[in-house]
Amino acid sequence: MKTKDRILDVSVELFNKNGVVAITTNHIAKAMNISPGNLYFHYDNKEEIIGELFKRMCKETYKIWSPKHISSMSPVQFVEENFDVYWKYRFFHREMYALRRKDPVLAKMWKNHMEKMMKLMKVLYRHWVADGKMVQIKNDKELLYVFESLLAMATTFLQFFESTEKLAGKLSVHRGKTHLVRLLLPYSSGKSKDDFEKFLDAEVSI
């Protein structure tokens, strides 16, 4: 693996474990057993590393949302894969508000990402309606409410649950999945609805 990629891998582990503020480029270099100069050869500063990690997260997310990938999985599997990415880059979901305020470049990237996710949700919605996995929502205002609620839930659940309840690690992820599936359930149909209900029944025992 290239040093540049290793820096990103180590950084995301440290950010997830300790938070972005507590970690410096010196910490990252030390964890990799390389000199700070070697790290700076690849990245100018911590903000650039964070930006590259954000691009990586977006790329992995868009792959899940690609039409070809969507058609090969059930809605439950789709939710599971998205939450795997959320967990992998969980520091973003814990700290994005503060990170955006500090870094205008990241703030712009985040805004563009949110706009793209809204467009992808429209594509996904049409796909699921056509496949009979979701009922058609004829009221445009209600449809927008569903999209915004899902996106707000998916991007803030970690920060919310970890700050308001005694939930650690993946327990907060399970709670996030449960709430998102509950939001989708009234609009699901056929086997997808059955799968969502089974998922919720299983989550009760966790």
Side-chain angles (χ1 to χ4, degrees):
M1 182 184 294
K2 295 179 180 180
T3 301
K4 193 167 187 176
D5 294 327
R6 285 184 57 228
I7 291 172
L8 295 181
D9 290 343
V10 171
S11 295
V12 74
E13 290 179 11
L14 293 175
F15 294 156
N16 283 337
K17 183 178 180 181
N18 302 290
V20 174
V21 174
I23 297 300
T24 67
T25 50
N26 285 342
H27 290 122
I28 298 169
K30 183 177 181 180
M32 295 180 62
N33 196 29
I34 64 174
S35 69
N38 193 348
L39 185 147
Y40 289 131
F41 177 78
H42 298 284
Y43 298 102
D44 291 337
N45 48 46
K46 186 168 71 173
E47 286 71 28
E48 187 176 357
I49 293 173
I50 293 171
E52 287 302 312
L53 285 172
F54 186 77
K55 292 176 184 177
R56 180 191 276 191
M57 181 188 72
C58 290
K59 183 177 180 180
E60 293 178 21
T61 299
Y62 301 152
K63 182 178 179 181
I64 295 172
W65 286 72
S66 67
K68 182 178 180 180
H69 197 68
I70 289 171
S71 63
S72 67
M73 70 175 80
S74 69
V76 169
Q77 291 172 321
F78 178 77
V79 171
E80 294 278 8
E81 288 200 18
N82 274 281
F83 273 81
D84 285 344
V85 176
Y86 297 155
W87 179 250
K88 182 177 179 180
Y89 299 97
R90 53 194 176 275
F91 77 93
F92 277 126
H93 299 281
R94 290 168 174 157
E95 306 179 58
M96 180 52 79
Y97 180 75
L99 293 173
R100 284 189 290 122
R101 286 180 64 88
K102 184 180 179 181
D103 185 349
V105 174
L106 182 63
K108 185 175 181 179
M109 291 168 63
W110 173 259
K111 182 177 183 293
N112 291 338
H113 174 59
M114 289 297 98
E115 290 174 352
K116 182 165 184 175
M117 290 307 300
M118 287 294 288
K119 292 177 181 178
L120 288 174
M121 273 197 281
K122 292 179 182 179
V123 173
L124 175 66
Y125 163 73
R126 290 195 293 267
H127 188 92
W128 279 1
V129 169
D131 285 353
K133 296 175 180 177
M134 191 171 186
V135 298
Q136 187 172 9
I137 303 172
K138 296 182 179 180
N139 187 301
D140 290 340
K141 289 184 178 180
E142 184 179 2
L143 185 60
L144 179 61
Y145 162 79
V146 173
F147 287 171
E148 290 179 342
S149 297
L150 291 170
L151 194 55
M153 179 64 210
T155 56
T156 61
F157 76 95
L158 266 177
Q159 186 182 54
F160 176 77
F161 288 126
E162 291 185 346
S163 65
T164 61
E165 301 184 28
K166 294 181 179 178
L167 295 174
K170 288 199 171 183
L171 285 177
S172 58
V173 174
H174 286 303
R175 182 63 66 87
K177 290 178 186 177
T178 299
H179 279 258
L180 194 142
V181 168
R182 285 188 181 279
L183 283 170
L184 283 171
L185 183 61
Y187 305 99
S188 60
S189 63
K191 186 177 184 303
S192 294
K193 188 170 186 177
D194 293 338
D195 289 345
F196 279 147
E197 290 175 342
K198 290 178 182 178
F199 176 87
L200 292 173
D201 289 340
E203 287 290 293
V204 172
S205 63
I206 293 177

